[in-house]
PDB file of all heavy atoms in Angstrom:
ATOM      1  N   THR A1355      89.821  90.996 117.723  1.00  0.00           N
ATOM      2  CA  THR A1355      88.577  91.435 118.469  1.00  0.00           C
ATOM      3  C   THR A1355      87.816  92.221 117.524  1.00  0.00           C
ATOM      4  O   THR A1355      88.298  92.998 116.658  1.00  0.00           O
ATOM      5  CB  THR A1355      89.012  92.212 119.692  1.00  0.00           C
ATOM      6  OG1 THR A1355      89.786  91.416 120.529  1.00  0.00           O
ATOM      7  CG2 THR A1355      87.739  92.715 120.425  1.00  0.00           C
ATOM      8  N   ALA A1449      83.156  90.275 101.055  1.00  0.00           N
ATOM      9  CA  ALA A1449      81.975  89.385 100.854  1.00  0.00           C
ATOM     10  C   ALA A1449      80.662  90.159 100.804  1.00  0.00           C
ATOM     11  O   ALA A1449      80.502  91.251 101.328  1.00  0.00           O
ATOM     12  CB  ALA A1449      81.985  88.379 101.976  1.00  0.00           C
ATOM     13  N   ILE A1508      76.973  93.773  95.007  1.00  0.00           N
ATOM     14  CA  ILE A1508      75.868  93.144  94.328  1.00  0.00           C
ATOM     15  C   ILE A1508      74.790  94.265  94.158  1.00  0.00           C
ATOM     16  O   ILE A1508      74.545  95.075  95.031  1.00  0.00           O
ATOM     17  CB  ILE A1508      75.339  91.847  95.110  1.00  0.00           C
ATOM     18  CG1 ILE A1508      74.296  91.157  94.289  1.00  0.00           C
ATOM     19  CG2 ILE A1508      74.825  92.347  96.454  1.00  0.00           C
ATOM     20  CD1 ILE A1508      74.003  89.822  94.874  1.00  0.00           C
TER      21      ILE A1508
END
Side-chain angles (χ1 to χ4, degrees):
T1355 301
I1508 189 168

